Amino acid sequence: MHSYDPVLYSRLLTGLTLGVHIVYATIGVGVPLMIALAEWIGIKRNDTYYLLMARRWARGYTITVAVGVVTGTAIGLQLSLLWPNFMRVAGQAIALPLFLETFAFFIEAIFLGIYLYTWDRFKNRMLHFLLLLPIVLGASMSAFFITSMNAFMNTPQGFDMVNGKMINIDPLVAMFNPAMPTKVAHVLTTAYVTAAFILAGIAAFALLRGRNHVYHKKALRLTMMAALIFSLASTAIGDLSGKFLHEYQPAKLAAAEWHFETSDKAELIVGGVLTENNEIKYAFKIPYALSILAGSSPYTVVKGLNEVPRDEWPPLRASHYLFDGMVFFGVYITVVALWHVLAHWRRRRKGSTKKPLNRALLIAILLGAPAAMLAIELGWIFSEIARQPWILWGYMKVSQGATTALYVDRMLWMFAGLYVLLSVTCIYVLIKMFKNNPIEAEFIARGMKEGDVKR
Amino acid sequence: MSYELIGISVLWLFLYGYLIVASIDFGAGFFAFYARWTKQDHLINRLISRYLSPVWEITNVFFVFFYIGIVGFFPDTAYYYGNALIVPGSIAVILLAIRGSFYAFENYGSKKNIVFLFLYGATGLLIPASLSVALTLSEGGFIVKQGETISLDYWALFTNPLSWSIVGLAIVSVLFISSSFLAFYASRAEDHAALKLIRGYALFWSTPTIIIALTAFIYLGQHNERHFQNMMDLWWLLALSVAFFMIAMWLLYNGRRYGLAFICVMLQFFSAFFAYGIGQYPYILDPYITVQSSATSPAMGIALVVVFIGGLCMLIPSLLLVFKLFLFDADYVKGKK
């Protein structure tokens, strides 16, 4: 067993809280956009299916928002509880995005409350739709601000460090740091993809279970189209992120790709094993790819790990496998989204839309939901672990930022218990909510004709 | 006025805002559970959930806003309170998490689940108790600094009558504020059965509130002479507080003008809360942190004040919209919408 080490337990607890929070936060950022799309189409085409889709998604969304809010509150407080020394120093520079984030959150919270309780209060449906805009905007702005704060920890700027204190702080320069554009764009697009895939997964599951209702097909079409657009966007941004890392955090890129010697024509390493002497075995190597990823040209010189002091190396194995995993799942969901869009297009041309969808495709979509979420998790863990040992890149190491308090280990167990309780109950409530009120029943309850129901 | 003074005033105002909205929320949770337990839930639970459902998330933001604000304006608070509050802070977070999510679970998902409602109700009283610890710590004497290590003297905290009286005050104030608000809400809804029950709660909890407030004040005098003297200099604010309390009691007792009664309760807490806050000035944590010594850099301070004003321009209309739709819309309150 480890002896009591507050730094280790602070890291574990922060990682655990964030790991849980980003699941709900991703849903929180992405799903409002999908609800807005559904409601918009529903109003424009006067299609009850889409309106009902928006309504059902919003109902489930409320449950996940609750867990997102409370885990977000937890991480907000833990930032000060577990990293008081870091907050004392860096609080001077990151206060602005943190503060702005609470405003975005405020607006989102206010309008979500109004939106949920005014479905039938406005005569003009467009007015109710407009309530969604501050929700979508608030959710995405929260992600923007909080990610810009995280980006600051990766590329700190906008201050002078004198005797361990920050002076001459320029809050805007700190906020609009070099890591911010790619990070924010990647976080937003992947959140939209993941939300789309989760909703698509639900529809695919219903279709697989033989509930061959046109409602689910419409849901699939909408979500898969959105997923394709956003996954292509996030792939493009991923490429830009590689170029960013090459320029600003070469150690992070080198750790992800096990790139030791500085060189041009660098290979991209996929999979493989790293021996004790840092030799790479059994890996699939793509020549020139790393140089192209870093600088769009095979002649780009990529800095290797050997130029970084040993005690500043990120953990090599974790970084590499996490990175590979993220890319793998990212590619998988892009392919699945493309598959569905092409299949739909072909079916439409042949005029055979009445037949059930290809079973293999439905299974692939269903698997896409956890795959997308896994890609998010792996991507975040990679991004955080591969900036070890720094908490403030180049300025402050993780061990200097943590609390020295007692009992952090017990807090870790308490929070772990809490998250298990919340997640299990959340899933239980969601399943119960939709099982007791399937779409077919909702149609009948709303007095609509069952004519569209195909069994 | 310097930016750090604006900062602390704004934050204190927000903490007051949280005190009111959270008290309504926490108390309502407890009453909802208590009513179910005593089989009177048919009288009030629909009323409570009608008010709470659209606003529970907003309540939470007030809290987040306050602590992000204080850490932003005064980064030293993160250092001292962060190191000292790891256990009580974590417990408060866990309770808040259970409460927030189980409210949503019970209300949107699994109706009539008594376990969910119990968790929701019980945490409503434990959260104010755990949060009030931070207020106790600010009086000094509980946080020990040895070299660079900050720790909390649990023994001093648990054996001190001041900390227990503050906990007690937090709990009874929650019940008092909440029941006087719900009485107002019930009277707007013209729900006489609910009003009768809740008015009883409000009258019942008024007495312990004022008694424990006095007790806490006396213990404060024994613990922190400076703070006590400063508050005595602000005797007129305290007198105002008592006067508002008397008016509220008179209105509640006579069963009329519930809206005015609730405003008086708000003003009662407002004057007492600000007498307490002004009396504590210039300390945020006696004796380690003062408003001036711990303020963030001027550039950040000004940026925060600017953002704050901009944010308020969005917030206030939005909050008014919520009030208009759910608080002052008589048809909604009565359950017709």
Side-chain angles (χ1 to χ4, degrees):
Chain A
M1 269 305 286
H2 285 286
S3 62
Y4 177 74
D5 171 13
V7 180
L8 176 72
Y9 286 110
S10 293
R11 288 182 63 191
L12 287 173
L13 180 48
T14 311
L16 176 69
T17 304
L18 277 174
V20 175
H21 178 62
I22 55 174
V23 172
Y24 298 96
T26 303
I27 296 172
V29 171
V31 171
L33 184 73
M34 301 309 298
I35 297 175
L37 282 175
E39 197 170 343
W40 171 259
I41 296 174
I43 293 171
K44 282 291 140 187
R45 296 191 192 157
N46 201 13
D47 186 330
T48 345
Y49 287 105
Y50 283 103
L51 290 174
L52 209 60
M53 205 182 288
R55 208 166 174 151
R56 285 171 72 83
W57 285 349
R59 226 179 281 151
Y61 175 66
T62 321
I63 303 290
T64 60
V65 162
V67 186
V69 168
V70 298
T71 50
T73 310
I75 189 65
L77 260 177
Q78 281 176 358
L79 214 53
S80 298
L81 292 176
L82 298 174
W83 308 96
N85 303 322
F86 163 71
M87 284 303 283
R88 185 190 208 179
V89 175
Q92 315 259 355
I94 57 177
L96 185 65
L98 262 180
F99 204 55
L100 279 166
E101 199 269 351
T102 59
F103 272 112
F105 178 30
F106 228 133
I107 295 294
E108 187 193 345
I110 287 174
F111 282 91
L112 184 63
I114 301 177
Y115 178 79
L116 290 174
Y117 284 86
T118 51
W119 272 97
D120 303 313
R121 261 175 97 166
F122 298 112
K123 284 209 178 67
N124 185 351
R125 275 194 303 211
M126 216 49 202
L127 222 56
H128 185 250
F129 169 76
L130 287 178
L131 289 170
L132 264 173
L133 296 185
I135 302 175
V136 174
L137 213 65
S140 297
M141 287 312 272
S142 307
F144 171 84
F145 290 126
I146 222 66
T147 312
S148 87
M149 182 191 131
N150 178 274
F152 172 82
M153 294 161 82
N154 281 280
T155 50
Q157 66 170 32
F159 62 91
D160 294 318
M161 198 77 142
V162 176
N163 298 331
K165 279 204 168 115
M166 286 185 179
I167 56 163
N168 300 333
I169 291 161
D170 188 335
L172 288 176
V173 174
M175 201 165 115
F176 292 93
N177 55 70
M180 191 273 288
T182 43
K183 263 194 189 267
V184 168
H186 202 59
V187 163
L188 286 179
T189 46
T190 51
Y192 298 147
V193 177
T194 307
F197 255 99
I198 288 172
L199 297 171
I202 297 168
F205 182 70
L207 288 169
L208 278 170
R209 294 281 296 264
R211 288 164 51 202
N212 201 13
H213 196 294
V214 68
Y215 168 87
H216 300 303
K217 288 182 187 165
K218 286 189 171 183
L220 267 191
R221 214 151 64 204
L222 171 65
T223 51
M224 280 295 104
M225 198 62 210
L228 180 64
I229 293 168
F230 288 118
S231 61
L232 290 175
S234 70
T235 311
I237 294 156
D239 179 61
L240 291 177
S241 306
K243 295 178 175 37
F244 157 78
L245 283 182
H246 166 63
E247 197 158 329
Y248 290 93
Q249 291 181 299
K252 204 169 178 175
L253 187 65
E257 288 305 326
W258 290 344
H259 184 63
F260 293 97
E261 290 296 333
T262 303
S263 69
D264 63 348
K265 297 176 196 162
E267 315 165 307
L268 194 75
I269 313 273
V270 179
V273 187
L274 198 66
T275 64
E276 289 295 315
N277 314 322
N278 289 336
E279 281 166 41
I280 303 159
K281 282 189 177 167
Y282 316 116
F284 180 69
K285 297 174 182 174
I286 311 172
Y288 309 123
L290 183 58
S291 282
I292 293 172
L293 177 74
S296 307
S297 145
Y299 301 106
T300 306
V301 177
V302 182
K303 198 172 163 188
L305 275 169
N306 289 344
E307 287 190 37
V308 180
R310 276 267 166 162
D311 61 333
E312 290 176 17
W313 281 19
L316 296 183
R317 290 184 182 80
S319 302
H320 179 69
Y321 295 129
L322 288 163
F323 184 80
D324 276 6
M326 170 188 78
V327 173
F328 171 78
F329 287 119
V331 169
Y332 172 80
I333 56 173
T334 312
V335 169
V336 171
L338 188 66
W339 182 7
H340 179 271
V341 171
L342 286 179
H344 176 70
W345 181 64
R346 280 184 53 192
R347 280 152 48 88
R348 211 173 184 169
R349 268 192 23 185
K350 288 185 188 162
S352 62
T353 43
K354 299 269 186 247
K355 274 190 212 148
L357 279 156
N358 182 349
R359 221 180 143 73
L361 173 58
L362 288 177
I363 292 172
I365 293 175
L366 182 62
L367 292 176
M373 197 51 96
L374 265 174
I376 297 255
E377 288 280 352
L378 297 179
W380 263 117
I381 302 172
F382 160 69
S383 175
E384 295 304 302
I385 265 188
R387 72 180 159 103
Q388 293 302 310
W390 301 105
I391 190 166
L392 204 54
W393 188 271
Y395 288 96
M396 189 188 228
K397 292 201 171 159
V398 168
S399 52
Q400 298 165 318
T403 180
T404 49
L406 295 169
Y407 312 121
V408 183
D409 50 342
R410 291 182 211 176
M411 298 302 119
L412 173 65
W413 300 123
M414 270 170 54
F415 275 102
L418 172 75
Y419 299 142
V420 170
L421 174 74
L422 290 187
S423 294
V424 169
T425 324
C426 179
I427 293 165
Y428 162 79
V429 168
L430 279 176
I431 291 175
K432 207 176 144 197
M433 205 164 144
F434 288 98
K435 223 175 184 171
N436 290 348
N437 188 16
I439 182 70
E440 292 85 353
E442 193 155 348
F443 264 100
I444 295 161
R446 294 186 169 272
M448 292 173 196
K449 64 183 165 67
E450 243 191 310
D452 287 320
V453 183
K454 296 174 188 72
R455 284 171 200 282
Chain B
M1 208 155 134
S2 57
Y3 71 89
E4 66 263 21
L5 209 58
I6 298 178
I8 194 74
S9 314
V10 160
L11 289 173
W12 199 244
L13 204 64
F14 256 83
L15 191 58
Y16 168 75
Y18 181 65
L19 178 101
I20 296 293
V21 289
S23 293
I24 295 173
D25 185 23
F26 292 148
F30 177 77
F31 289 133
F33 171 71
Y34 179 75
R36 173 87 58 89
W37 193 251
T38 52
K39 307 238 184 311
Q40 294 172 307
D41 50 330
H42 55 284
L43 291 176
I44 59 168
N45 278 15
R46 209 178 58 91
L47 185 83
I48 289 176
S49 82
R50 245 185 131 59
Y51 163 73
L52 282 180
S53 304
V55 302
W56 68 271
E57 216 189 336
I58 302 174
T59 310
N60 205 41
V61 192
F62 267 90
F63 177 59
V64 176
F65 192 95
F66 171 74
Y67 78 67
I68 295 295
I70 198 155
V71 170
F73 270 108
F74 307 101
D76 274 3
T77 53
Y79 178 65
Y80 285 95
Y81 283 110
N83 268 315
L85 278 174
I86 178 94
V87 175
S90 297
I91 291 173
V93 172
I94 288 174
L95 292 172
L96 277 169
I98 290 177
R99 183 183 161 75
S101 40
F102 277 86
Y103 176 73
F105 295 160
E106 132 86 25
N107 209 52
Y108 305 106
S110 188
K111 295 221 162 46
K112 306 247 177 242
N113 190 324
I114 186 86
V115 180
F116 289 7
L117 196 63
F118 169 75
L119 286 170
Y120 176 61
T123 49
L125 293 187
L126 294 173
I127 293 167
S130 64
L131 288 181
S132 66
V133 171
L135 219 52
T136 314
L137 295 190
S138 74
E139 293 303 329
F142 303 109
I143 290 179
V144 189
K145 187 179 183 185
Q146 287 164 321
E148 280 301 296
T149 313
I150 311 280
S151 55
L152 179 59
D153 187 345
Y154 287 95
W155 179 250
L157 185 69
F158 284 123
T159 52
N160 194 308
L162 175 66
S163 45
W164 289 109
S165 58
I166 288 181
V167 165
L169 181 60
I171 293 174
V172 291
S173 318
V174 159
L175 295 171
F176 178 55
I177 294 173
S178 180
S179 51
S180 50
F181 172 81
L182 289 171
F184 155 69
Y185 204 67
S187 77
R188 262 205 83 78
E190 289 168 21
D191 185 341
H192 300 291
L195 179 60
K196 187 165 168 262
L197 188 67
I198 298 168
R199 179 173 160 265
Y201 292 160
L203 287 170
F204 177 83
W205 288 109
S206 64
T207 323
T209 304
I210 206 78
I211 292 174
I212 298 181
L214 281 174
T215 319
F217 190 56
I218 293 165
Y219 283 126
L220 179 69
Q222 291 176 4
H223 186 81
N224 189 334
E225 179 70 34
R226 180 195 62 82
H227 194 176
F228 182 76
Q229 272 310 323
N230 286 348
M231 279 178 83
M232 287 307 273
D233 294 342
L234 294 164
W235 62 270
W236 55 276
L237 263 179
L238 297 173
L240 218 56
S241 174
V242 175
F244 282 125
F245 173 73
M246 305 294 257
I247 300 171
M249 285 320 299
W250 187 77
L251 289 170
L252 279 173
Y253 188 76
N254 285 307
R256 41 192 270 216
R257 312 278 311 265
Y258 286 98
L260 188 64
F262 179 65
I263 290 174
C264 286
V265 171
M266 276 172 71
L267 289 172
Q268 172 205 340
F269 278 89
F270 185 86
S271 15
F273 193 68
F274 271 78
Y276 178 88
I278 299 169
Q280 178 72 312
Y281 183 85
Y283 287 102
I284 296 177
L285 170 61
D286 207 345
Y288 300 111
I289 313 179
T290 66
V291 169
Q292 283 80 11
S293 73
S294 64
T296 184
S297 66
M300 181 54 87
I302 290 160
L304 291 180
V305 170
V306 170
V307 164
F308 181 77
I309 293 166
L312 275 192
C313 295
M314 291 194 305
L315 264 190
I316 291 173
S318 316
L319 279 174
L320 287 178
L321 184 63
V322 172
F323 286 157
K324 191 172 161 308
L325 285 169
F326 302 113
L327 208 54
F328 297 116
D329 187 318
D331 282 343
Y332 173 80
V333 180
K334 284 175 197 163
K336 285 180 189 156
K337 270 184 181 170

